[in-house]
Each structure stands twice: as structure tokens, then as C-alpha cells.
Amino acid sequence: MKISSNNLFNKIESLKKSFTDSEKKILEYIKRNSEEVTLMSIKELSGKTDTGEATIIRFCKKIGFKGYNDFKISLIKSISKEKQETKYKIDILSDKNYNSVAENIYNNSFNVLRDTLSLINNETFDKCISLISKAKHIEFVGVGYSNLTAQDAKYKFLRIGKSVAAHSDPHLFKMAASISGKGDLMVGISQTGETQEVIETLKNARSRGANTIVITNNDNTEVTKYADYILVNGFNEVLSETGSFSERISQLFIIELLYLGVLSKNKDKALELKNLTIKAVT
């Protein structure tokens, strides 16, 4: 997919005079294949453009990003925003064609999941899965819709024998953080990255030696300052009735990946414990 000029490429074009021939080649390829690039690793882009990985990193830094992944996040935002601007706003009250409404909900959710998939960093996921596997106790922390994701995560990991909690009361977040320590893990879930209760909880837990992970759709916000690892989920920049639905899907997608990763790391024991918990409630 090629996206229009009304996006981050306006800024990049203004810097084009300072680019080397290799950097210009990278820019032209990304402009012609924007959506495909969001799914590429730096190694794959290097092969497609016949340039070195170091050149791609230098290109990203020259246009104002910390690195390739940071640039991809901005590119995904730009594409997502353009898609949202071109599709009609979902309003179930004014459209009695429910097939059409359903199709828009589906497309919106698919786009968010696709964005999340493109942002997966295998190395980061491996480290997060290792932390969850080894943690003495895990707290999932979220407010509002993110708390529903935290509750889902609690039930998943509880079924495979992990010591885990997800409180609904923010005061209990702070209490849990105040008694956390080395070997414990605090997983904060905040779509905006600016939820004060989550920020304070991760900050306190980290100061006590606990490990911290954050699931958010923006890796440059206040909460990320207190995260050992950041897992970025898909974007939805238009507020509508279905916004929270697609956002939760992308959060749950990340939780499912973490769960399956931990399950595969401790397969025999985890499956045995899962079967025991299933028998206990049936």
C-alpha cells in the first residue's frame, strides 16, 4: 500500500536533501510499500532495499526516531489514521444495515490486530515470557477496559499454576506494589500510557526491586519510564462506540501470546495444572 503525502512523509521529504543515495533508496521503497514495511524486520527491509541494517538505523535517526522500531510505530500510526479518515464512522443507530456495521467492526478489529502483529519484537517477548515463567508472584494492573484485560490474564495464568492477581480497586494496586520485591512481576496495562494509577503502581514496584512490563499503544509515554520491557499493541486513533472493543482485542492478543509462550516453556507441568483446575470447576 502506498499512502498519501498527508502524513509523516511531509517531514521526511523536507530532510531529503541531506540523504545519501542509499537513504534515498530506503525512503522511496518505504513510500511505495508502506503497509508491507510495517510487517518487515530490519533484516528484511535491508534485503529489499539492498542496503545495510546500519544504514537503515542511521536513516531512522536522521529523520528523528530512536531506531527502526520507533519509526515503524510512527508509520503504523500514519497508515491507521489514513484508514480511519477514509472509512465511515460506525454508528449503529443511524445505519440499519447490520451486515455493513458488522463488516466495519470486523475491518477495524482486523486492522488493529494487524498493527499489533507488525509491532511484535521476538526478543522482547522472549524476555517477558521468561520473567512470567520465573516470577514468584504476578500482578496485572489496569483501569477501566484495561482492567477487564487484566482480569482475563489473571484467570489464564492462574489455570497453569502461577501465583497471580488482578485487583479492581486502584488502592489495592498501590498496596500490592508497596509489598512487592525481587522476584515479583508487575504488568501494567494502559492504552494511552498515561493512566496515573498504573504509572504510580509500576513506579513503586520497580523502586522495591520488582520487575515490570507495560502493555500500551505508545512506547514514549510516562508509564514506559518505569517498565523493564514494553509491549506495544495496535492503534485506534478514532474514538467511537467500537474503539474500546478493538483496543481490548489487541491487548488480549498480546496476553494470549504471553500465555502460550509460558505454556510452551513449561508444557508438561502447565498442562497438568491446567487439567487440575479444569476438573476443580467442572
Side-chain angles (χ1 to χ4, degrees):
M1 174 185 175
K2 181 178 179 180
I3 60 180
S4 72
S5 59
N6 187 26
N7 49 58
L8 85 165
F9 286 109
N10 287 334
K11 173 188 174 183
I12 298 175
E13 287 288 345
S14 69
L15 301 170
K16 194 173 179 179
K17 289 182 180 179
S18 66
F19 291 170
T20 64
D21 289 341
S22 294
E23 289 166 348
K24 288 176 182 176
K25 186 189 292 186
I26 293 167
L27 172 60
E28 292 307 313
Y29 182 85
I30 294 173
K31 284 171 65 178
R32 291 194 306 269
N33 306 278
S34 302
E35 195 158 347
E36 291 81 359
V37 170
T38 64
L39 294 172
M40 290 182 186
S41 66
I42 190 170
K43 184 177 181 179
E44 289 169 328
L45 182 58
S46 173
K48 290 286 186 181
T49 58
D50 195 27
T51 58
E53 293 180 24
T55 304
I56 294 172
I57 293 171
R58 187 168 60 247
F59 165 78
C60 293
K61 289 183 176 180
K62 186 176 284 189
I63 59 178
F65 298 98
K66 291 182 289 186
Y68 179 60
N69 196 55
D70 192 31
F71 167 72
K72 278 211 307 183
I73 290 171
S74 184
L75 180 60
I76 290 168
K77 280 184 177 181
S78 184
I79 293 172
S80 178
K81 185 176 181 180
E82 185 152 319
K83 284 179 179 177
Q84 295 288 1
E85 288 173 350
T86 56
K87 80 176 186 64
Y88 75 79
K89 183 179 182 292
I90 300 171
D91 186 353
I92 199 166
L93 296 177
S94 64
D95 189 347
K96 298 304 181 184
N97 183 353
Y98 294 113
N99 285 335
S100 177
V101 173
E103 184 178 352
N104 274 269
I105 293 172
Y106 168 82
N107 288 334
N108 192 44
S109 300
F110 176 82
N111 288 334
V112 170
L113 282 175
R114 186 182 184 283
D115 290 348
T116 304
L117 178 63
S118 69
L119 291 166
I120 290 173
N121 182 303
N122 289 329
E123 184 180 349
T124 300
F125 262 89
D126 281 343
K127 289 177 179 176
C128 290
I129 288 165
S130 181
L131 279 182
I132 294 171
S133 298
K134 296 174 182 177
K136 292 189 299 184
H137 179 72
I138 308 165
E139 293 272 345
F140 287 94
V141 178
V143 175
Y145 280 103
S146 293
N147 186 259
L148 297 179
T149 303
Q151 297 296 333
D152 184 85
K154 176 183 74 174
Y155 286 116
K156 277 187 181 298
F157 287 102
L158 186 61
R159 287 202 158 196
I160 58 172
K162 300 303 298 180
S163 171
V164 58
H167 304 292
S168 298
D169 185 343
H171 288 154
L172 295 179
F173 299 170
K174 296 176 183 178
M175 290 172 63
S178 70
I179 58 174
S180 64
K182 190 173 181 181
D184 294 327
L185 175 62
M186 195 73 63
V187 183
I189 306 170
S190 172
Q191 189 72 0
T192 63
E194 299 293 349
T195 310
Q196 285 304 309
E197 295 88 344
V198 178
I199 292 169
E200 291 173 17
T201 300
L202 263 66
K203 181 179 180 180
N204 292 340
R206 199 180 193 192
S207 70
R208 291 188 54 81
N211 293 116
T212 55
I213 296 171
V214 67
I215 300 171
T216 181
N217 76 357
N218 192 330
D219 71 345
N220 189 28
T221 51
E222 186 69 18
V223 74
T224 60
K225 295 178 182 178
Y226 309 107
D228 295 318
Y229 298 104
I230 304 165
L231 299 174
V232 184
N233 65 315
F235 303 94
N236 186 352
E237 300 198 5
V238 173
L239 294 177
S240 66
E241 289 85 348
T242 59
S244 57
F245 175 72
S246 59
E247 288 166 6
R248 273 206 70 214
I249 284 176
S250 63
Q251 291 175 349
L252 290 171
F253 183 58
I254 287 179
I255 294 297
E256 187 72 12
L257 285 174
L258 293 172
Y259 169 73
L260 291 174
V262 173
L263 192 64
S264 64
K265 211 177 221 342
N266 310 274
K267 193 171 182 180
D268 293 337
K269 183 180 178 182
L271 287 175
E272 179 187 351
L273 293 170
K274 185 178 180 182
N275 288 331
L276 287 172
T277 57
I278 290 172
K279 286 179 182 178
V281 295
T282 56

